[in-house]
Amino acid sequence: MPAERLHLVRHGEVHNPHRLLYGRLPHYRLSEDGRRMARAAAEYVEGLDRPVSSLHCSPLERTQESAAPFTEIFGLEPVLDERVIEPTNVFEGTRMSRSLRDPRNWWHLRNPSLPSWGEPYLSIAERMEDAMNSAWDEADDGDAVIVSHQAPIWITHLHVAGLRLRHDPRTRRCALSSVTSFERVGDVWREIGYAEPAAAGVDLGAV
C-alpha cells in the first residue's frame, strides 16, 4: 500500500564557523546543537503516533546525520536519494555578503526567475516531486520521511501550493529541523502541516 503521509524534514544546524555557503560541498557536518535539533525533529514525528515505514535522505553528510535519529527511533535505514539534494549554486564555498558586493558576480544575478545563479527552480520542483512519488508508492502502509534541505523543501511548498517559484531566499518558512507534511490524493499533493520542533539554532550557509 502507498504511504498515508509524507514528511519533508530539513537537516539540523551545520558546523560552519566561516559562514560559507556550503551547498553540496563535502564535510559539512552537524553542530552539537544540530544533532539535538535533528533528534527533536525525529521525536516530533514519533509523537504524531503514526507508523513510519520509509526513510530517505539526501546523500550529503548533514542530511545523513539528521536521518540518524529516525533510524534509532523507527528502525529504518535511510535510502540515499540524489533527487532531494541541495541545488547547485555558483556562489558555493563563498560568503554571500562578500560575493554580492563584487561586480564580477553580478552577471549571475541577471535572471532571478530562473535563477541564473544555480539550478532552475522548476528542475528542483520536478525532481523533488519525483522523489516524493517514489517514497509514497514504495512505503508499506505508513508514513514516509525524506530528510532534505531548505531550498528543495521550500520550492516544493510553493510548487504544491501553485505559487510562483521565484522568491527571496530570506523569506523562506523552512527552519532548521522543521517538518513540512503532505498527503497525496490521487496524483495531487497537498500540504497539511508545518512544525518547528527545534526552533532554535543559527541558520548560516543556506541560500
Side-chain angles (χ1 to χ4, degrees):
M1 294 181 64
E4 296 175 3
R5 290 183 187 174
L6 185 144
H7 310 284
L8 294 183
V9 179
R10 189 183 171 198
H11 63 78
E13 180 185 272
V14 174
H15 179 69
N16 185 17
H18 301 298
R19 301 192 176 191
L20 300 182
L21 174 66
Y22 38 71
R24 296 185 179 185
L25 294 174
H27 312 308
Y28 276 86
R29 56 181 174 79
L30 296 184
S31 66
E32 288 294 330
D33 283 342
R35 282 190 279 274
R36 287 190 287 270
M37 296 168 73
R39 180 151 195 97
E43 290 175 347
Y44 167 79
V45 174
E46 180 187 29
L48 297 176
D49 198 23
R50 303 173 57 84
V52 174
S53 59
S54 174
L55 177 62
H56 293 69
C57 73
S58 157
L60 296 179
E61 185 173 354
R62 59 189 182 272
T63 39
Q64 292 193 57
E65 289 182 328
S66 296
F70 288 91
T71 296
E72 181 181 342
I73 291 172
F74 296 104
L76 299 169
E77 289 299 323
V79 176
L80 304 187
D81 193 337
E82 290 275 354
R83 293 173 294 183
V84 303
I85 199 170
E86 189 85 89
T88 56
N89 192 310
V90 296
F91 297 112
E92 184 178 271
T94 72
R95 291 191 67 167
M96 284 299 297
S97 58
R98 294 177 182 173
S99 293
L100 295 178
R101 292 196 298 267
D102 187 341
R104 293 173 297 181
N105 291 326
W106 293 350
W107 169 253
H108 297 303
L109 307 175
R110 67 192 181 279
N111 186 359
S113 296
L114 190 58
S116 49
W117 56 80
E119 181 182 2
Y121 291 137
L122 184 58
S123 169
I124 300 167
E126 288 175 342
R127 63 176 168 85
M128 285 294 291
E129 184 173 13
D130 190 44
M132 290 167 66
N133 285 333
S134 295
W136 183 269
D137 292 335
E138 293 169 7
D140 184 17
D141 191 24
D143 288 5
V145 170
I146 298 177
V147 184
S148 185
H149 308 268
Q150 185 192 65
I153 295 173
W154 181 243
I155 290 165
T156 298
H157 158 80
L158 296 175
H159 182 61
V160 167
L163 302 173
R164 71 175 187 176
L165 302 184
R166 175 182 175 174
H167 64 281
D168 182 341
R170 295 170 296 182
T171 66
R172 291 173 183 160
R173 181 219 61 189
C174 188
L176 292 161
S177 291
S178 59
V179 181
T180 309
S181 300
F182 300 83
E183 65 179 14
R184 195 181 77 182
V185 180
D187 294 331
V188 178
W189 286 99
R190 67 171 185 149
E191 186 174 323
I192 59 172
Y194 173 77
E196 298 181 0
V202 181
D203 193 2
L204 301 173
V207 170

